[in-house]
Amino acid sequence: MNRALRIIFSRYGIIAIILLLVLGVIALAQTREQTPLDGAESGTEGSEGSEGEATSEAFTEDDGFATEGCEGDDCYAGEELPQEAVDRAMDFTEAWLNPDGYGPDGWYDSIVPYLTTENADLMQGVDPVSVPATEVAGEPAADGQKVAVPLDTGTLTLTMTEGSNNWTGSDWLVSAIDWEQS
């Protein structure tokens, strides 16, 4: 028994134990390469690739959310935004322009009720000094899910979506902000 323990705890025994552990981890990592996306385990159709290799057919199956032939921003072009969504976009624009001269925290607090949670996270820490305009210069124009607001130095385009966030109940929210300098 002492002789076996001496061999195990010698430098060669410890090296052998470490080598076995490394080989075990590598073996486990290789078996983890097979994911449900390759279809081999989940049984999805169109996954005739080799084991552990996902085919493009498995990724293009209809998930029930995309509309047929819909690509890019034209997916909702046929739908018109209700006036309340356009009004909400204008309310956001007024707060975004920072007419009260708030600092970063006050400005963020004024715009966050109009934003989706994801967009609010992106706006955290933005300095309102970076807002490139000072006043609205025309009437907003709705096109699909987007509202274009002409400002004194360019056009603010807001993508609107129905939803709720941590600050507002269910309402129209800004899910994307795009600025085009004129």
Side-chain angles (χ1 to χ4, degrees):
M1 181 70 167
N2 281 341
R3 185 168 194 217
L5 289 175
R6 271 189 286 164
I7 292 174
I8 290 174
F9 289 112
S10 70
R11 90 178 75 150
Y12 298 113
I14 291 174
I15 290 173
I17 291 171
I18 291 173
L19 184 62
L20 285 174
L21 288 173
V22 168
L23 291 175
V25 168
I26 291 172
L28 285 175
Q30 286 179 345
T31 60
R32 299 271 306 171
E33 285 180 8
Q34 294 178 355
T35 64
L37 291 177
D38 69 10
E41 296 172 356
S42 62
T44 56
E45 294 179 21
S47 57
E48 299 174 11
S50 65
E51 195 171 302
E53 180 182 310
T55 63
S56 62
E57 292 172 6
F59 293 113
T60 59
E61 289 181 20
D62 186 9
D63 60 2
F65 291 107
T67 57
E68 288 185 16
C70 179
E71 291 184 18
D73 293 336
D74 298 329
C75 294
Y76 301 101
E79 295 181 23
E80 249 186 72
L81 283 175
Q83 185 60 39
E84 64 187 55
V86 175
D87 293 342
R88 189 94 168 135
M90 286 304 294
D91 291 343
F92 169 80
T93 302
E94 290 295 332
W96 185 71
L97 291 172
N98 197 19
D100 299 320
Y102 292 128
D105 293 334
W107 178 72
Y108 177 78
D109 291 342
S110 71
I111 65 169
V112 75
Y114 303 102
L115 301 171
T116 60
T117 304
E118 297 82 20
N119 215 1
D121 291 343
L122 293 173
M123 296 297 285
Q124 182 75 40
V126 173
D127 191 349
V129 172
S130 65
V131 173
T134 56
E135 62 183 23
V136 175
E139 293 297 316
D143 182 27
Q145 295 295 103
K146 297 182 181 220
V147 177
V149 182
L151 301 177
D152 57 345
T153 58
T155 304
L156 179 66
T157 303
L158 305 172
T159 304
M160 304 300 291
T161 186
E162 279 187 287
S164 63
N165 58 22
N166 297 336
W167 305 271
T168 309
S170 183
D171 206 344
W172 285 96
L173 301 172
V174 176
S175 62
I177 302 168
D178 189 29
W179 171 255
E180 185 177 325
Q181 189 85 24
S182 58

